[in-house]
Amino acid sequence: DHWYPNSIPCMMWIAIIVSLGIQDFIDAGVVLALHSFNSGLGFYETLKAGDAVAALKEALAPQCNVKRDGQWVKMLARELVPGDVIILKIGDVVAADGTLLEGGTCDLDQSGLTGESLPVKKVPGDTIYSGTVVKRGEQDLYVTKTGEQTEMG
């Protein structure tokens, strides 16, 4: 049980039982009160930690700028669908596989995919993979694959 991660709570229960056995109700009550307080505090901290983790997950969820219905909107990367156009800027982690559209060039860090230590220059028409990081340039990307269908899955 995750509420009893070590032997101290078990020893407290043994002390309570022994105190009750020798009819020392005051000691049993004090130890029971301490144990109850400690358990309640642990439960409260666990709830708060879960809330903090959920807030962090929400804050760190990848987002991107997508062109939908002629408007640029910011949305979660998991809501992308093939056919969307997203803009890639310096520091962005590419959210989906796709093809670079017309414009300049951009340099991408693909070390997570290929192990290359230096950024790779990409030009319009090149395929870009999810998980790469934009190191230089700004470019539009036509999304071709999302989620588990990407090269990285």
Side-chain angles (χ1 to χ4, degrees), residues 9-21:
C10 293
M11 289 190 312
M12 290 178 84
W13 276 112
I14 291 170
I16 292 168
I17 293 168
V18 169
S19 294
L20 290 172

Side-chain angles (χ1 to χ4, degrees), residues 39-55:
S39 296
L41 186 62
F43 179 75
Y44 175 75
E45 287 177 350
T46 301
L47 284 179
K48 286 303 194 186
D51 293 345
V53 168

Side-chain angles (χ1 to χ4, degrees), residues 100-115:
L100 282 180
L101 297 176
E102 293 301 315
T105 62
C106 64
D107 294 347
L108 300 174
D109 177 3
Q110 298 183 141
S111 60
L113 302 172
T114 63

